Amino acid sequence: MKKTIIALMAVTIIVKITSLIKEIVFSYYYGASNITDAYIISLTIPAVIFALIGAGIATGYIPLYSKIDNEQGKDAAVEFTNNVLNFILLLCTVIVVVVFLFTEPLIFLFASGFRGETLELAILFTRISIVSVYFTGTLYIMDANLQVNDAYKVPQLAVIPMILITTASIALSATYGVYILVYGSVLAVIVQALIVIVYAYKKGYYYMFKVNFKDYYLKRMIVLSIPVIIGSSIYQLNTIIDRTLASQIAVGGISALNYAFKIETFITGLFVVSIVTVMYPSISRMAVVRNFKGMKEALSKSITAISLFVIPATVGVMIFSQPIIKLVFGRGEFGAEAVAMTSISLLFYAVGMIGIGIHSTLVKAFYSLEDTKTPMIISSAAVAINIVLNIILSRFLGVGGLALATSIAALTGAGLMFYCLRRKIGPLGAGQMLISFAKISFASVIMGIGAKLIFEALTLVIHHNIALLLSIAAGATIYFAVILFSKIDDITVIVNEIKNKFRKADAVVEQGKI
C-alpha cells in the first residue's frame, strides 16, 4: 500500500504542476475579472449539480462492487458496473434538460451579484459546458471501477491531456474569442473520459446496455447514495453562499477565492487524495470480511502520513501566502488588488487543510462500512457552522473571511468525524497519533522560523521569487532533518525502503563488475 501511495504521489505531482501551469496561464490572460468570474461559474454549476449525484453514487459503488466481486465473481461485478453507468447516463440527460430550461435562475443562485455582460456570458458558457456531464458521469464510474481493481496511475495521468487542452484553449481564446474557453473545457473532459474508458477495457471492463431498476444492488447503491447526496448538497450550498457573497464583496472576488482554492487543493491533492484513493478500496475489502483491526491500522497510518506532509505545508503557506501568490500568479492582468485578495484567502484556507485531510480519510471509513448517514449529519453540522461564520467573518475580513469560515468548519467536521467513528468501531490509536502530531508540529514550527529568517535575509540580495524558492527548499531540508530524528514510524519505513533500493542498486553494480 505504501509503495502504491508513493507511486501515485509521483504521478499526482506531475498532474498538479501541469494544473498549476494552467492556472498561471489563465491568470496571465484574464486576471481576476468579470470574464473569469463568468467562466468559473459556468464550470461550477454543472460540476456542483453532478457532484451531488455522481459523488454519492461513486461512493456507494466501491464497497458494493467489492461485495459482488467477493461473493459472485467478476462477471457479476461488471454487470453491476454497466447497470450503474447506464443509470448515470439517463440521469445526465435529465440534468442537461433542467439546466437548459433554468440557466438564469441557476446562475442567480450561484452568483447573485452578476449583471449585464457578466450574466450574459455566464448563461452562454453554462449552456455549452453542461454537455460535459455525460463524460463527467462516465469518469466517476470508470475511475471508481479502476480504483477498486487497484489501477490508479492511468486515470490520474489522463488528467494531463485534459489540462493541456484547457490551457491551449485559454491561450487561443485571448486571440480568437472568449467562447473558445468553454468549448475547450468540454473537449478536454471528452478526451479524458475516452482515455479512461480505453484503459478500463484493458483491465477487464466491457460495456453492455443494461438498465435494471429492480436490481437489488442498484437499489442498495441508491439508498447508500442518498445521504451522501444530501450531505454533498448541504456542502455545495456553502459553496453557493461563498460565491454569492464573494460576487457582492468585490469584482473578481469569486476568482480570488478560486485561485486561492486551487493552491490549497494543489497541496491537499498532492498528499491527501493520493493516500485516500489507495486506502478506500483497501478498507472496503477489509469491511466486507469485518477486519476492523486492519481498518483501524490503515486509518491511523493514513492520518499520520497525511499530517506528515500537510502540517508543514500549512505552516509554510501561512508564512508565505503573499509571496506564493506573487510567484504563481503575479503577472499580466493579475494586478496588486488581485494579489491582495487571493493571498488573504490562501492564508485562511491554509488553516483548515489538516481538517480536510482527516475528514477525507475518515469519511471513507464510514462509507466502507455502508454508513452514509453519519457523515451526512456531521457535514450538515459543519456546513451550518460555515454558513453562519461566512456571514459574520466576511463583514470583517471580506473575501478572506469566507476562506476562514470554510477552514473552521473543516476542522470542526474532522473532530466530529473522529469522535463518531471511534464510537462505532473502537479506539483508533489516538494516543500514538497525537504523539506523531506533536513531533510533526514541532518540526514544522522550526521549519517555518528557519525558512522565514532565510527568506528575509535573501530578499536583501536577490529577487524575492528566487529567495522564496530557496527558502522553501531550505525549509524542507530543515523539516525532514528534524523529522528524521523524531522516530516517526512512517518516516522510518520510507527511509528503510529508500536504503533497501540503494542496497539493491549497489548489489547490481557489484554483480556487473564481477
Side-chain angles (χ1 to χ4, degrees):
M1 184 172 167
K2 285 187 175 70
K3 290 180 180 179
T4 306
I5 289 171
I6 292 167
L8 192 57
M9 278 185 181
V11 173
T12 305
I13 288 170
I14 298 169
V15 172
K16 290 296 179 181
I17 290 172
T18 310
S19 181
L20 191 59
I21 291 170
K22 181 201 76 175
E23 296 301 326
I24 293 169
V25 172
F26 189 46
S27 67
Y28 176 82
Y29 283 109
Y30 292 103
S33 62
N34 67 320
I35 292 175
T36 60
D37 283 356
Y39 176 66
I40 290 165
I41 287 298
S42 75
L43 299 183
T44 300
I45 289 173
V48 167
I49 290 172
F50 192 80
L52 301 180
I53 302 164
I57 289 173
T59 297
Y61 169 85
I62 287 179
L64 288 176
Y65 182 100
S66 297
K67 188 174 184 178
I68 295 167
D69 189 22
N70 185 62
E71 295 176 356
Q72 301 178 35
K74 185 67 69 178
D75 288 340
V78 171
E79 186 176 336
F80 169 66
T81 301
N82 281 302
N83 201 20
V84 173
L85 177 59
N86 291 317
F87 172 73
I88 286 282
L89 293 176
L90 290 173
L91 204 57
C92 288
T93 302
V94 176
I95 292 170
V96 169
V97 172
V98 169
V99 171
F100 261 91
L101 291 175
F102 303 103
T103 314
E104 189 168 344
L106 281 168
I107 290 170
F108 183 78
L109 183 66
F110 279 76
S112 61
F114 280 9
R115 298 288 185 275
E117 183 186 357
T118 307
L119 179 60
E120 291 176 10
L121 278 174
I123 291 171
L124 181 59
F125 285 178
T126 301
R127 285 177 174 164
I128 296 170
S129 66
I130 193 60
V131 178
S132 65
V133 297
Y134 287 105
F135 302 95
T136 304
T138 303
L139 273 169
Y140 268 102
I141 301 306
M142 291 296 101
D143 277 351
N145 176 263
L146 289 169
Q147 284 177 34
V148 83
N149 285 292
D150 296 326
Y152 305 99
K153 293 180 186 177
V154 170
Q156 286 291 315
L157 288 171
V159 178
I160 294 176
M162 184 269 287
I163 295 170
L164 293 176
I165 292 169
T166 305
T167 306
S169 70
I170 291 167
L172 290 171
S173 70
T175 303
Y176 298 104
V178 293
Y179 304 110
I180 293 176
L181 272 175
V182 71
Y183 284 118
S185 68
V186 173
L187 176 62
V189 175
I190 293 171
V191 170
Q192 182 188 3
L194 290 175
I195 292 170
V196 172
I197 290 167
V198 169
Y199 187 62
Y201 263 85
K202 289 183 178 180
K203 300 299 289 186
Y205 168 76
Y206 53 90
Y207 178 76
M208 64 175 75
F209 183 76
K210 175 182 174 60
V211 185
N212 180 9
F213 294 107
K214 296 180 180 180
D215 178 65
Y216 166 78
Y217 289 106
L218 180 63
K219 289 180 180 178
R220 178 61 181 158
M221 187 195 69
I222 293 170
V223 169
L224 289 173
S225 300
I226 288 171
V228 179
I229 292 169
I230 293 171
S232 297
S233 299
I234 296 167
Y235 176 79
Q236 295 300 340
L237 175 63
N238 176 69
T239 301
I240 293 168
I241 292 172
D242 274 0
R243 298 293 189 263
T244 295
L245 290 174
S247 71
Q248 294 171 357
I249 291 169
V251 174
I254 291 175
S255 301
L257 270 183
N258 182 69
Y259 288 129
F261 185 69
K262 293 291 184 182
I263 297 292
E264 183 211 21
T265 53
F266 175 85
I267 297 166
T268 55
L270 205 59
F271 308 116
V272 177
V273 174
S274 301
I275 292 168
V276 172
T277 298
V278 176
M279 180 201 71
Y280 185 32
S282 175
I283 63 172
S284 292
R285 287 190 286 268
M286 292 177 190
V288 169
V289 296
R290 315 305 286 177
N291 180 11
F292 295 133
K293 183 180 178 181
M295 277 185 67
K296 288 189 281 188
E297 184 178 345
L299 287 169
S300 178
K301 289 183 176 179
S302 296
I303 291 171
T304 301
I306 286 169
S307 303
L308 190 64
F309 296 105
V310 173
I311 291 176
T314 298
V315 173
V317 169
M318 290 179 73
I319 292 172
F320 295 118
S321 62
Q322 190 170 60
I324 288 170
I325 295 302
K326 283 184 178 179
L327 171 66
V328 177
F329 299 121
R331 60 189 60 82
E333 295 297 317
F334 204 88
E337 186 178 351
V339 168
M341 278 197 299
T342 307
S343 60
I344 194 69
S345 300
L346 178 60
L347 169 65
F348 289 125
Y349 269 139
V351 174
M353 285 200 297
I354 188 62
I356 291 169
I358 294 172
H359 180 277
S360 300
T361 305
L362 298 181
V363 75
K364 295 300 184 183
F366 282 102
Y367 293 158
S368 67
L369 295 165
E370 298 186 22
D371 177 3
T372 52
K373 291 181 182 178
T374 303
M376 177 194 71
I377 294 168
I378 293 171
S379 296
S380 301
V383 168
I385 293 168
N386 200 345
I387 291 170
V388 172
L389 291 176
N390 267 342
I391 297 167
I392 296 170
L393 295 177
S394 63
R395 293 179 181 178
F396 300 98
L397 299 170
V399 173
L402 303 176
L404 181 58
T406 300
S407 292
I408 294 171
L411 291 167
T412 304
L416 291 171
M417 197 76 70
F418 193 94
Y419 172 76
C420 291
L421 185 61
R422 188 184 186 282
R423 291 191 64 182
K424 191 176 185 72
I425 62 174
L428 301 172
Q432 186 60 45
M433 278 191 276
L434 284 173
I435 292 170
S436 297
F437 283 0
K439 291 177 179 179
I440 292 167
S441 298
F442 173 75
S444 299
V445 170
I446 298 298
M447 173 210 73
I449 294 169
K452 181 66 174 175
L453 292 173
I454 292 167
F455 177 72
E456 289 178 352
L458 289 175
T459 50
L460 298 174
V461 292
I462 59 177
H463 191 275
H464 66 270
N465 284 344
I466 298 173
L468 176 63
L469 294 173
L470 291 175
S471 300
I472 290 172
T477 304
I478 293 168
Y479 173 71
F480 283 109
V482 176
I483 282 292
L484 283 173
F485 291 101
S486 300
K487 296 183 179 179
I488 297 173
D489 290 341
D490 286 294
I491 282 289
T492 304
V493 170
I494 293 169
V495 170
N496 288 339
E497 284 183 3
I498 293 170
K499 286 180 178 178
N500 288 334
K501 287 183 182 295
F502 277 112
R503 284 170 187 157
K504 288 177 183 177
D506 290 339
V508 170
V509 172
E510 289 299 324
Q511 287 178 0
K513 289 179 180 178
I514 293 171

